[in-house]
Amino acid sequence: MEKKAKYSGRDIAGFILLGASLIMLGRSMMLCFSNDIWYDELFTVGMVEHSYGELVRFTAADVHPPLYYCIVKLFVDLCKLVVPKAGTVIPAKIVSVLPYVILLCYAVTFLRKRFGLFVGGMFLFCVTAMPQLPAYTVEVRMYGWAMLFVTAAFLHGYALMDSYVNLKTASTDQKVGRQKRMRCLHGAAFMVYGLAAAYTQYFACVAVVMVYLWLFLAFLFRDRRRIKEWLIYVAVSVACYVPWLFALAGQLNAVSENYWILPLTWRSLGGCVKFLMKPAFSDDRVNTVLAVVLFISCLGSWCRWLSKLCHSRRVLKKSDESQTALPRMDTVEAEERFWLATAGIGVLAGLVAFGFAASFLIRPIFVYRYMIPALGCFWLGFALCLNEMLCKLETAARADDGIGRETIFHAAGIFITILVVVIGLRDYRAFLGEEEYKIRLMAETETALAMIGPQDSVLYNFDQVQAVTGYYLPATTERFLWQAEGEKLIQEITSPCGTAADVGEIREMIGKKQEKQSLAGDDKSVWFIGSFNSREDIVQDWRKAGLEVEEKGSFLLERYWFNLYKIS
């Protein structure tokens, strides 16, 4: 009777990381049962309440492709079909957790089978908990889905190479047929995921282009006959994306005329590193030091692996000269994993390089969060590098390289693993605390907004607060921006907003409300939802003009603090 294989320390660590990731995803799912959204999320929530045709038209007028919004609308519609009284916000938030659940499936199947439990667990932990990423498990935005699509395309691109190797080594016709079918399946998945990324977010499209470039280089150096296969993938993908190019041209014209992104400088490269690796401890100096240590650790683990492979190559060359048998297959497999890790890191580097080049040469179009679609590939590459540091050396390599030095690198790998876990857990805990705080205060905010009736009028001094709070008010409530105009697209998606230019218009509103109140007997009021320090100056001016302005309290809606005033 065969003995059961014992789990290694890396396998146990992989189990723990997978378990921690599963718990965090479960906690994120619980956080979805809150009704708070902010301005960017309002675009999603507002659009999915329209028809699919209108949704596509709105996205064409905005700066994003339509696939993510269609996914959210489909899920929301299904929820409302099962529960007719279901709202939109909570199902839309749940949609943001789903791509991480799919990545979990890839981690425990695709990655575990090919690279082991540790790689699968570390990858999932990083995309769930590392700096900046936890927020996107609940935010009603497309970034989680973009990361899923790019990462899945990357994995199936690797599988195309892997299935090709298996096809060449298959020993029976049955195995050959199976490998051909798997190759076709991975090719189809590669194109579908790539197209899905391109139809979700434009920097996800850039990341997929980097994945296509990596696959081209792999075919070029391993089997140039497969470049024809690569050209087929490109041709099909381009043909399927042509229908959206007309909308893209219009969006590019709009961006060239007016866009909100600020110019980049070379210091922004350091900002990219901070975005990726700066944790959320209370002391900012500690955060900066840990970010630098983590960055050096990532770079060092990659350089160590490269050095290790070069050393193995030299040993193999000597073995050829002395005709000594050495495990060549292990070296070949290690090189395959190394180039996969390098490609994963390269996808992110290529995306950042494109963003900087376009921003310098044309106009600013890059912000740090646009790296998120490529972060699945990046953290996979990091997990592979870290896994290699924790691997035991082959006997021949140990004999030549020295056990003592390898023990140091092995200990460094353990240290980096602990560092990543500490940073990830702290970052997720900070995210969790912030979300719980917002949820607690949201109950008070909803109570305050409930004081505003369907026949009331509301004044604002900030268009984003106007748009977001307007979503929670009755549809018949009149809304006005004080001496400003709201964004036309968001008004078309949600509800219109007028402009109030002077105190005389406010007096006229109050007079109309009082007249209607005397006729109908209902309480009809004029309110002011004021944001930032300018609200105090506005209220002071109104009081000097003879208006009575009564403050009702200060409230938080997702990320917007505002004061509520009643005007008479």
Side-chain angles (χ1 to χ4, degrees):
M1 188 173 179
E2 295 183 1
K3 294 182 179 180
K4 292 184 179 179
K6 294 182 178 179
Y7 289 111
S8 67
R10 284 182 297 127
D11 291 336
I12 295 172
F15 271 123
I16 294 173
L17 289 168
L18 284 171
S21 303
L22 188 59
I23 292 171
M24 288 186 289
L25 289 178
R27 194 68 186 89
S28 292
M29 183 68 76
M30 295 173 63
L31 293 174
C32 292
F33 292 89
S34 172
N35 207 33
D36 56 318
I37 56 174
W38 69 290
Y39 190 65
D40 282 8
E41 294 175 297
L42 181 63
F43 277 88
T44 303
V45 173
M47 277 195 278
V48 301
E49 294 179 349
H50 293 268
S51 67
Y52 285 98
E54 289 178 308
L55 184 152
V56 172
R57 180 173 64 84
F58 289 143
T59 54
D62 194 24
V63 291
H64 293 296
L67 179 59
Y68 165 73
Y69 303 105
C70 292
I71 293 173
V72 177
K73 179 172 175 56
L74 177 62
F75 187 82
V76 170
D77 288 348
L78 289 175
C79 289
K80 290 183 177 181
L81 185 64
V82 176
V83 184
K85 293 185 179 181
T88 300
V89 174
I90 292 174
K93 287 189 174 186
I94 292 174
V95 171
S96 297
V97 184
L98 298 183
Y100 295 89
V101 175
I102 299 173
L103 287 173
L104 166 66
C105 296
Y106 272 98
V108 299
T109 55
F110 190 102
L111 295 178
R112 178 193 60 80
K113 179 180 178 181
R114 289 166 172 80
F115 310 115
L117 275 169
F118 179 79
V119 172
M122 179 57 71
F123 160 77
L124 186 66
F125 181 85
C126 287
V127 299
T128 303
M130 289 305 281
Q132 311 302 328
L133 292 176
Y136 294 97
T137 61
V138 297
E139 185 166 287
V140 189
R141 299 288 283 154
M142 74 287 295
Y143 294 103
W145 284 93
M147 182 169 64
L148 165 66
F149 293 144
V150 173
T151 306
F154 183 72
L155 294 177
H156 287 286
Y158 169 76
L160 281 171
M161 299 302 305
D162 191 35
S163 63
Y164 176 67
V165 173
N166 293 333
L167 179 62
K168 292 178 68 175
T169 59
S171 57
T172 65
D173 291 340
Q174 185 177 4
K175 289 183 178 180
V176 170
R178 182 177 181 277
Q179 291 302 327
K180 286 184 176 179
R181 290 193 296 272
M182 291 301 297
R183 178 172 160 181
C184 293
L185 178 63
H186 288 303
F190 174 73
M191 288 188 292
V192 169
Y193 277 120
L195 278 167
Y199 271 103
T200 298
Q201 207 258 357
Y202 291 126
F203 271 88
C205 181
V206 173
V208 164
V209 170
M210 300 303 161
V211 174
Y212 269 78
L213 179 60
W214 160 71
L215 188 61
F216 171 79
L217 294 175
F219 287 166
L220 180 65
F221 288 107
R222 294 187 56 172
D223 187 354
R224 295 187 178 184
R225 292 173 298 178
R226 297 195 72 191
I227 291 178
K228 294 181 180 179
E229 178 186 338
W230 180 84
L231 289 173
I232 293 173
Y233 297 147
V234 172
V236 173
S237 299
V238 171
C240 292
Y241 203 63
V242 165
W244 187 251
L245 292 180
F246 298 102
L248 174 59
Q251 291 174 338
L252 290 175
N253 290 333
V255 167
S256 64
E257 294 173 2
N258 182 28
Y259 206 39
W260 54 270
I261 295 177
L262 297 175
L264 299 176
T265 66
W266 292 115
R267 294 184 62 183
S268 301
L269 289 172
C272 292
V273 175
K274 286 183 179 180
F275 182 88
L276 286 173
M277 299 178 178
K278 189 176 181 180
F281 291 96
S282 56
D283 192 331
D284 194 62
R285 292 171 297 181
V286 172
N287 294 334
T288 301
V289 170
L290 290 178
V292 172
V293 171
L294 184 57
F295 175 74
I296 293 174
S297 299
C298 292
L299 182 61
S301 63
W302 181 87
C303 291
R304 169 56 191 159
W305 197 357
L306 177 61
S307 174
K308 189 175 176 180
L309 289 176
C310 292
H311 170 74
S312 299
R313 278 291 180 184
R314 290 194 298 269
V315 172
L316 288 173
K317 186 176 181 180
K318 291 179 181 179
S319 70
D320 288 338
E321 295 173 356
S322 61
Q323 296 182 351
T324 303
L326 282 173
R328 293 175 178 272
M329 186 57 68
D330 291 339
T331 302
V332 172
E333 290 177 355
E335 288 181 352
E336 291 290 334
R337 293 193 300 272
F338 172 76
W339 291 117
L340 178 66
T342 303
I345 297 169
V347 169
L348 175 61
L351 183 148
V352 172
F354 173 86
F356 271 70
S359 296
F360 285 141
L361 297 175
I362 305 173
R363 64 162 294 122
I365 61 169
F366 180 76
V367 292
Y368 297 140
R369 68 172 179 270
Y370 289 170
M371 294 188 291
I372 291 172
L375 291 192
C377 300
F378 172 81
W379 288 118
L380 174 59
F382 169 77
L384 288 167
C385 291
L386 187 54
N387 180 67
E388 189 65 21
M389 287 189 73
L390 296 172
C391 283
K392 293 181 179 179
L393 288 176
E394 297 299 327
T395 303
R398 285 205 310 270
D400 189 79
D401 195 35
I403 296 177
R405 189 166 63 177
E406 280 306 316
T407 301
I408 294 174
F409 284 114
H410 188 80
I414 295 174
F415 167 77
I416 296 171
T417 301
I418 295 173
L419 177 65
V420 170
V421 171
V422 170
I423 289 175
L425 291 178
R426 173 56 188 169
D427 197 73
Y428 190 87
R429 182 65 189 88
F431 152 76
L432 185 62
E434 184 178 351
E435 289 298 312
E436 289 175 339
Y437 176 71
K438 291 177 182 177
I439 290 171
R440 185 169 66 252
L441 293 188
M442 183 61 191
E444 299 176 6
T445 302
E446 288 186 300
T447 301
L449 293 177
M451 292 190 294
I452 302 175
Q455 304 303 320
D456 291 352
S457 296
V458 187
L459 293 160
Y460 301 86
N461 66 326
F462 183 41
D463 61 341
Q464 292 192 16
V465 171
Q466 175 272 313
V468 176
T469 57
Y471 181 78
Y472 299 90
L473 299 178
T476 55
T477 301
E478 295 180 324
R479 290 173 275 270
F480 301 90
L481 275 171
W482 176 247
Q483 297 178 342
E485 294 184 0
E487 186 175 346
K488 293 181 179 179
L489 181 59
I490 194 66
Q491 291 186 56
E492 188 177 359
I493 292 173
T494 55
S495 57
C497 175
T499 299
D502 53 48
V503 175
E505 293 186 33
I506 301 178
R507 293 185 186 279
E508 187 177 345
M509 289 181 204
I510 296 172
K512 289 181 179 179
K513 298 300 178 186
Q514 291 175 345
E515 183 180 347
K516 290 181 179 180
Q517 182 176 340
S518 62
L519 293 175
D522 298 328
D523 184 18
K524 297 176 176 61
S525 306
V526 177
W527 304 82
F528 174 49
I529 294 180
S531 311
F532 308 117
N533 293 333
S534 60
R535 66 185 175 227
E536 301 295 338
D537 296 332
I538 294 172
V539 168
Q540 186 176 0
D541 291 340
W542 288 348
R543 285 171 176 164
K544 288 179 179 178
L547 297 178
E548 293 185 12
V549 185
E550 178 187 1
E551 182 177 342
K552 296 294 185 179
S554 182
F555 306 96
L556 176 67
L557 174 53
E558 223 293 325
R559 60 185 64 185
Y560 304 111
W561 280 102
F562 65 87
N563 284 14
L564 180 62
Y565 304 87
K566 189 172 184 180
I567 307 173
S568 58

